[in-house]
Amino acid sequence: MPMIASPPDSPRALRLASYNIRKAVGLDRRRDPARIVEVLAEIAPDVAVLQEVDTRVPPRRAVLSPASMEAHAGLRLLDPSVGIGRTGFHGNTLALAPHVALLDLDAIDLPGLEPRGAVLARLGLPDGELFLVGCHLPLVATFRRVAVERLAEVVRAAGATRWVIAGDLNEPREVGTLAPFVEGARILPAGLSFHTRMPRFALDRFILSPGLGGRAHVHDSDASRIASDHFPVVATLGPE
């Protein structure tokens, strides 16, 4: 896939967000994509990894407008599902700031009874390439374990020296089913992201390859407390 943007001339820390937007249905049970865009504008990420971006019922229409995302959050919404009539792949997609170069974009199915998948992207940054996996892992631990093993294989096969896995990992324990990811890598703690009404679980996580470091936090604001049942998590990444 051709590069859609050129990286900036000088290195900078990468601001990465992950957000399960719950099909833009807020705690008031209203579908309001504008609130999701507002939250993303507050965060101002270089890259946003998004989950549940399509409606549940076929034809699973996209809930976010690319035009609104670009105009109000400064992000280009990517489409890893070209040809199948929706924006996300099993609800997953990415959004990039204009200065981030997209070198390649792909998507894969994940094994298990639940319809799950992951989006894979190679990003061009001032200090080199980053391989990014955005995913929403299964709720059931048995299927989540199989999906994690599949993604670990994908990361190894990519041969990337720098990689990040981000998304709603649905693992309530510190490591648990995520163990295949953390051999030589690290889970970057962000905080309790679910449920926005009463946060109890750190379901939304970042996993970093060796050599990558940074810090992460939960983005708690008036808008994010009602826009979805998950808080977005935000990581600032750089050399370890």
Side-chain angles (χ1 to χ4, degrees):
M1 177 175 293
M3 186 181 294
I4 61 171
S6 297
D9 295 331
S10 57
R12 53 176 285 176
L14 181 72
R15 189 170 177 83
L16 175 62
S18 178
Y19 195 10
N20 182 331
I21 70 169
R22 196 198 188 193
K23 306 164 185 64
V25 177
L27 296 194
D28 56 2
R29 300 185 180 181
R30 291 194 302 113
R31 192 186 309 280
D32 189 348
R35 291 189 295 209
I36 300 297
V37 176
E38 178 184 353
V39 172
L40 290 170
E42 290 175 347
I43 297 170
D46 300 300
V47 180
V49 179
L50 305 175
Q51 304 91 48
E52 296 196 21
V53 300
D54 303 325
T55 57
R56 186 180 299 276
V57 179
R60 294 179 60 84
R61 301 185 192 282
V63 298
L64 296 177
S65 159
S68 178
M69 284 280 284
E70 189 165 357
H72 301 292
L75 297 171
R76 182 176 187 269
L77 192 63
L78 304 184
D79 186 356
S81 303
V82 173
I84 62 175
R86 59 180 189 260
T87 299
F89 182 81
H90 291 308
N92 299 284
T93 195
L94 307 175
L96 307 180
H99 61 267
V100 177
L102 176 65
L103 306 178
D104 196 16
L105 180 66
D106 201 358
I108 62 168
D109 288 302
L110 294 178
L113 292 180
E114 301 172 72
R116 301 283 180 167
V119 291
L120 319 172
R122 288 188 183 273
L123 304 178
L125 303 172
D127 54 350
E129 290 187 12
L130 177 72
F131 183 65
L132 175 63
V133 177
C135 59
H136 186 184
L137 296 183
L139 287 165
V140 179
T142 300
F143 301 134
R144 186 166 61 250
R145 186 174 294 106
V146 175
V148 166
E149 290 172 353
R150 173 74 177 106
L151 285 179
E153 291 173 0
V154 167
V155 170
R156 285 194 294 269
T161 56
R162 298 195 311 162
W163 52 263
V164 174
I165 297 166
D168 179 357
L169 305 186
N170 267 323
E171 174 54 71
R173 294 170 293 177
E174 185 175 351
V175 177
T177 57
L178 305 180
F181 285 152
V182 295
E183 298 172 2
R186 62 180 290 212
I187 297 175
L188 188 64
L192 304 179
S193 59
F194 181 84
H195 186 286
T196 46
R197 195 182 304 279
M198 185 179 294
R200 294 181 58 195
F201 300 107
L203 300 185
D204 304 273
R205 315 253 199 113
F206 304 96
I207 303 176
L208 312 183
S209 62
L212 270 182
R215 60 189 185 276
H217 67 275
V218 169
H219 180 77
D220 184 349
S221 69
D222 290 343
S224 68
R225 288 184 205 121
I226 193 172
S228 171
D229 58 350
H230 284 249
F231 281 113
V233 291
V234 184
T236 303
L237 305 180
E240 196 168 22

